[in-house]
Amino acid sequence: MKSKKKRAFAPLCELQLPSHCGPCSLSGCLFILGIAATQRQLAAAAGRPVSVFIHGVDERGLRRAARAFGVKSEFVLSREQSQGKEFARRLRVHLRHGNPAILLSKDFDHWVAVIGYLAQQRKFIIVDPKEKHMVFFRWSETRLVRNAWNEASESDCYEPSQYFAILLSRRDGEPPRWKITESWLRLCERGSADTAEGMANDLTEIATLSSPDDQDIEEGLYLAEFLEENEELILDGITHWASGNGDRTRGDLRTLYRDYTTVASSSGIRIAPNADRVSLVAQLTAILSSYWWGARF
């Protein structure tokens, strides 16, 4: 029997269709916000269905598509190249709230998604929908300022040279679904036994079943903290129930467990203050044992 191929769960799970860099970048940004929309759906919402799609989608079309899926957009434009650091600062402030953006690059020719900012590394996280060999890029401020400057040629005389980005956030005021961290990026790049969304759904169900109906789950502990505190207890239980499972080691199991911890942290799942901790341990042991025992790991 052939083993299943592991696939990375990247915000952009497919490359852009011809001239679809805008809708594809927007699709990745919406993923971060917790909204599902394909590049084809967004192209249609922008008023450019695939059958007549030739020249791409401009900023007004992207705003129209974002609005159709409950997302607010704010245009940020600077026509002075000397204002590059200020442009980067505006983008950084927006990203620090977890919200993504779309950036115009390559002299008006290409859109990329800016999905996060790693403060310790001082790097912007970029997803280029045209890139076949790498999921994420980490741009320094210097690189971002250089790549984001669009120089107008004679044929582009209707548009002055500029920096331009579209800042995106949920219209309902809810926070983004995914928090971009270095460990989350490594997990995406490495691939995993399941998709991030599937893992998050597992953990959300476990947290809900273990929390009493009359308790405000938003006042409780983060599930990631519970996972970290009870790591050895749960790993011991999995090792007991799934013993004799081939060549897999406790180190492999620990990697799987920490993948779940990463997803729990990135998605901000909480448990009620008086959640049934015995039930939590039992459920986590059962679901992780099934992955550990089955062919999906």
Side-chain angles (χ1 to χ4, degrees):
M1 175 184 285
K2 292 182 179 180
S3 61
K4 293 184 179 180
K5 183 180 179 181
K6 293 180 180 179
R7 65 185 180 92
F9 50 86
L12 294 176
C13 59
E14 58 182 355
L15 294 173
Q16 69 173 67
L17 297 168
S19 300
H20 276 61
C21 58
C24 201
S25 294
L26 181 56
S27 176
C29 290
L30 264 58
F31 176 95
I32 297 299
L33 294 174
I35 298 169
T38 68
Q39 56 182 308
R40 290 180 183 273
Q41 290 172 326
L42 290 167
R48 301 296 295 276
V50 175
S51 59
V52 296
F53 201 99
I54 299 174
H55 300 296
V57 175
D58 63 14
E59 67 277 13
R60 290 177 295 277
L62 291 173
R63 168 173 275 177
R64 189 181 308 119
R67 186 186 305 118
F69 284 85
V71 173
K72 293 193 300 184
S73 57
E74 177 187 351
F75 292 169
V76 177
L77 182 150
S78 179
R79 294 176 179 170
E80 299 293 333
Q81 193 169 10
S82 61
Q83 293 299 308
K85 287 186 176 294
E86 175 59 20
F87 177 80
R89 187 196 68 79
R90 286 282 308 278
L91 192 58
R92 189 164 55 244
V93 169
H94 177 75
L95 295 167
R96 279 178 170 162
H97 289 90
N99 291 308
I102 303 175
L103 184 68
L104 185 61
S105 65
K106 296 186 177 178
D107 297 331
F108 302 95
D109 192 50
H110 192 51
W111 297 101
V112 298
V114 191
I115 64 168
Y117 182 74
L118 299 176
Q120 289 187 335
Q121 298 182 20
R122 299 182 180 179
K123 295 290 179 66
F124 295 85
I125 306 306
I126 308 294
V127 178
D128 186 336
K130 210 171 187 176
E131 176 58 48
K132 297 180 180 179
H133 305 295
M134 187 177 294
V135 176
F136 303 105
F137 293 88
R138 294 162 174 80
W139 287 3
S140 65
E141 180 177 301
T142 300
R143 185 176 179 186
L144 180 129
V145 168
R146 181 178 66 247
N147 292 351
W149 178 247
N150 298 280
E151 188 73 35
S153 63
E154 291 184 6
S155 60
D156 296 322
C157 60
Y158 62 92
E159 282 281 9
S161 299
Q162 62 188 259
Y163 294 106
F164 184 81
I166 306 174
L167 310 184
L168 302 164
S169 59
R170 292 181 62 115
R171 188 170 292 279
D172 60 10
E174 289 295 313
R177 172 71 182 276
W178 297 105
K179 179 182 177 183
I180 307 303
T181 63
E182 182 63 36
S183 58
W184 189 89
L185 292 175
R186 287 198 300 268
L187 179 56
C188 289
E189 290 166 332
R190 189 178 72 241
S192 183
D194 201 359
T195 65
E197 191 165 5
M199 296 168 86
N201 288 339
D202 287 343
L203 294 171
T204 299
E205 183 175 2
I206 287 171
T208 301
L209 290 174
S210 302
S211 299
D213 293 338
D214 60 345
Q215 289 292 314
D216 185 358
I217 205 168
E218 295 303 319
E219 298 298 323
L221 184 75
Y222 281 105
L223 181 58
E225 296 176 40
F226 179 87
L227 286 169
E228 290 170 359
E229 290 173 4
N230 293 275
E231 180 172 328
E232 295 306 321
L233 173 63
I234 295 172
L235 292 185
D236 286 343
I238 297 168
T239 303
H240 172 75
W241 291 108
S243 59
N245 191 20
D247 296 328
R248 295 172 188 168
T249 68
R250 191 176 176 93
D252 295 329
L253 174 57
R254 194 178 298 278
T255 297
L256 173 62
Y257 187 89
R258 289 181 178 172
D259 285 352
Y260 268 87
T261 303
T262 293
V263 171
S265 176
S266 299
S267 51
I269 301 169
R270 291 178 183 262
I271 55 176
N274 63 340
D276 186 338
R277 297 188 172 222
V278 174
S279 173
L280 272 170
V281 169
Q283 290 183 75
L284 287 163
T285 301
I287 194 166
L288 287 163
S289 291
S290 70
Y291 281 114
W292 180 241
W293 183 264
R296 298 175 68 183
F297 178 65

